[in-house]
Amino acid sequence: MKAIIFNGALERRSSSTSNLLSRYIKSGLENFGIENHIFDLADSGIPLFDCTLTRIPNGVQVMNNLFREADIHFWLAPLYHGSIPGVMKNCLDWLEVSAKKNNPYLTDKTVGLVCWADGVQAMQGINTMDAIAKSLRAWPLPYSVPISKKELFDPNISGEISQTYKDRLNLLINLATTKIITAIPAINQ
C-alpha cells in the first residue's frame, strides 16, 4: 500500500501549518508501515493548466505518476476566500492527462480531506475537495478533518498539534488505512 500526502499550500516554512500537518500524517502512516510521500506544491514545478500543450511538462508527469500510484491520498488545504487555493485546483486539473489511460484520473483511490481556516468555515474547503475527488473518480472518506486554526495547536507547546486534533487526524489515518472506525473522539463544539 502506498500513500501520498498532497500539501495544497504554497508554504515553504518548516513551521507552517501545512508542513506540520503533513509531517504528522506522514509519521502516522509510518507507524502503520505504509510507504508514503509528501507532495509539496511549492516544490513541484506544476505550470498553469494548458490542455493545448503537445508535450506534458516534467513536473506534471511526475505528479501524475505519484498520484496514480498511491492507493491512499491525504489532501491538505488552507481555506482561501471560501475555497481551496487555486494552485491546488490547477494541480489536480493536470490529472486530465490520464484521461485516456486505463483507470483514468484517480479511479478508486481513497482520499482523506483536511482543511484549516482562521474561523469556522473550513468545511467549505472540505466540500470543494470532496466534489473534486468525486469528479476524479476517487472515494472521499466519510470522515474529514475541518480545522479551526485557533484550536489547532497546544497553547503550552509551540508548534505542537493539540490533542483534540491529533485524535481527529489519527482517526482519519486509521480509517484510510484500515477502513475501520475504531473510535470516534468526542467533539466539543
Side-chain angles (χ1 to χ4, degrees), residues 97-167:
V97 302
S98 71
K100 292 183 175 37
K101 295 182 184 270
N102 290 338
N103 295 319
Y105 312 111
L106 300 177
T107 300
D108 292 330
K109 307 297 182 185
T110 299
V111 183
L113 305 172
V114 178
C115 184
W116 59 95
D118 285 332
V120 294
Q121 302 301 316
M123 202 61 205
Q124 288 178 214
I126 298 284
N127 290 337
T128 298
M129 291 187 287
D130 182 81
I132 293 168
K134 287 175 181 170
S135 72
L136 291 169
R137 304 179 187 177
W139 295 97
L141 290 170
Y143 178 81
S144 58
V145 184
I147 297 171
S148 173
K149 197 167 172 195
K150 69 181 179 180
E151 298 167 0
L152 176 58
F153 297 107
D154 186 318
N156 301 316
I157 308 169
S158 179
E160 180 75 18
I161 296 172
S162 70
Q163 190 60 51
T164 297
Y165 280 109
K166 283 181 181 179
D167 291 342

Side-chain angles (χ1 to χ4, degrees), residues 53-74:
L53 294 178
T54 56
R55 185 175 170 177
I56 300 170
N58 185 55
V60 170
Q61 193 61 53
V62 168
M63 181 273 298
N64 262 264
N65 291 340
L66 288 169
F67 278 48
R68 290 176 39 78
E69 289 173 1
D71 305 295
I72 304 168
H73 289 231
F74 292 90

Side-chain angles (χ1 to χ4, degrees), residues 3-132:
I4 190 158
I5 302 157
F6 179 24
N7 179 354
L10 288 179
E11 299 177 305
R12 286 192 166 92
R13 294 175 296 113
S14 64
S15 63
S16 69
T17 298
S18 62
N19 286 324
L20 292 170
L21 288 169
S22 294
R23 288 195 306 267
Y24 186 84
I25 292 172
K26 181 176 185 55
S27 175
L29 291 168
E30 288 169 352
N31 289 340
F32 279 98
I34 295 173
E35 179 183 341
N36 66 82
H37 178 83
I38 296 174
F39 184 83
D40 280 310
L41 269 176
D43 301 323
S44 68
I46 302 293
L48 289 175
F49 179 64
D50 183 352
C51 61
T52 64
L53 294 178
T54 56
R55 185 175 170 177
I56 300 170
N58 185 55
V60 170
Q61 193 61 53
V62 168
M63 181 273 298
N64 262 264
N65 291 340
L66 288 169
F67 278 48
R68 290 176 39 78
E69 289 173 1
D71 305 295
I72 304 168
H73 289 231
F74 292 90
W75 294 359
L76 290 72
L79 188 73
Y80 290 161
H81 308 287
S83 189
I84 63 173
V87 295
M88 183 178 189
K89 174 66 167 70
N90 176 72
C91 181
L92 292 166
D93 287 342
W94 274 107
L95 287 163
E96 186 61 30
V97 302
S98 71
K100 292 183 175 37
K101 295 182 184 270
N102 290 338
N103 295 319
Y105 312 111
L106 300 177
T107 300
D108 292 330
K109 307 297 182 185
T110 299
V111 183
L113 305 172
V114 178
C115 184
W116 59 95
D118 285 332
V120 294
Q121 302 301 316
M123 202 61 205
Q124 288 178 214
I126 298 284
N127 290 337
T128 298
M129 291 187 287
D130 182 81
I132 293 168

